[in-house]
Coordinates of all heavy atoms in Angstrom, one line a residue:
S175 N 7.5 122.6 144.0 CA 8.9 122.9 144.4 C 9.4 124.0 143.6 O 8.7 124.5 142.7 CB 9.8 121.6 144.2 OG 10.0 121.4 142.9
C176 N 10.6 124.5 143.9 CA 11.0 125.8 143.2 C 11.3 125.5 141.8 O 11.1 126.4 141.0 CB 12.2 126.4 144.0 SG 13.8 125.7 143.5
G177 N 11.7 124.3 141.4 CA 12.0 124.1 140.0 C 13.3 124.6 139.5 O 13.7 124.4 138.3
T178 N 14.0 125.3 140.3 CA 15.3 126.0 139.8 C 16.5 125.5 140.6 O 17.6 125.8 140.1 CB 15.1 127.5 140.0 OG1 15.0 127.9 141.3 CG2 13.9 128.0 139.2
C179 N 16.4 125.0 141.7 CA 17.6 124.6 142.5 C 18.3 123.4 141.9 O 17.7 122.7 141.1 CB 17.2 124.5 144.0 SG 16.4 122.9 144.4
D180 N 19.5 123.1 142.4 CA 20.2 122.0 141.9 C 19.4 120.7 142.1 O 19.4 119.8 141.2 CB 21.5 121.8 142.6 CG 22.5 122.9 142.2 OD1 22.2 123.6 141.2 OD2 23.6 123.1 142.8
N181 N 18.8 120.5 143.2 CA 18.0 119.3 143.5 C 16.8 119.1 142.6 O 16.5 118.1 142.1 CB 17.7 119.2 145.0 CG 18.9 119.0 145.8 OD1 20.0 118.7 145.3 ND2 18.7 119.1 147.1
C182 N 16.1 120.2 142.4 CA 14.9 120.2 141.5 C 15.4 119.8 140.1 O 14.7 119.0 139.4 CB 14.2 121.5 141.5 SG 13.1 121.7 143.0
E187 N 12.9 116.7 143.5 CA 12.1 117.8 144.0 C 11.8 117.7 145.5 O 11.6 118.6 146.2 CB 10.7 117.9 143.3 CG 10.8 118.1 141.8 CD 10.9 116.8 140.9 OE1 11.3 115.8 141.5 OE2 10.6 116.9 139.7
C190 N 14.1 119.7 147.5 CA 14.2 121.1 147.0 C 14.9 122.0 148.0 O 14.5 122.1 149.2 CB 12.8 121.7 146.7 SG 12.9 123.4 146.2
L191 N 16.0 122.7 147.6 CA 16.7 123.5 148.5 C 16.0 124.7 149.0 O 16.4 125.4 150.0 CB 18.1 123.9 147.8 CG 19.0 122.7 147.5 CD1 20.1 123.2 146.6 CD2 19.5 122.1 148.8
N192 N 14.9 125.1 148.3 CA 14.1 126.2 148.7 C 12.8 125.8 149.4 O 12.0 126.6 149.6 CB 13.8 127.1 147.5 CG 15.1 127.7 146.9 OD1 15.9 128.2 147.6 ND2 15.2 127.6 145.6
G193 N 12.7 124.5 149.6 CA 11.6 124.1 150.4 C 10.5 123.6 149.5 O 9.7 124.4 148.9
Ligands
LIG502 ZN1 14.1 123.4 144.3

Side-chain angles (χ1 to χ4, degrees):
S175 69
C176 83
T178 62
C179 73
D180 287 349
N181 291 348
C182 284
E187 299 92 339
C190 174
L191 295 170
N192 295 315

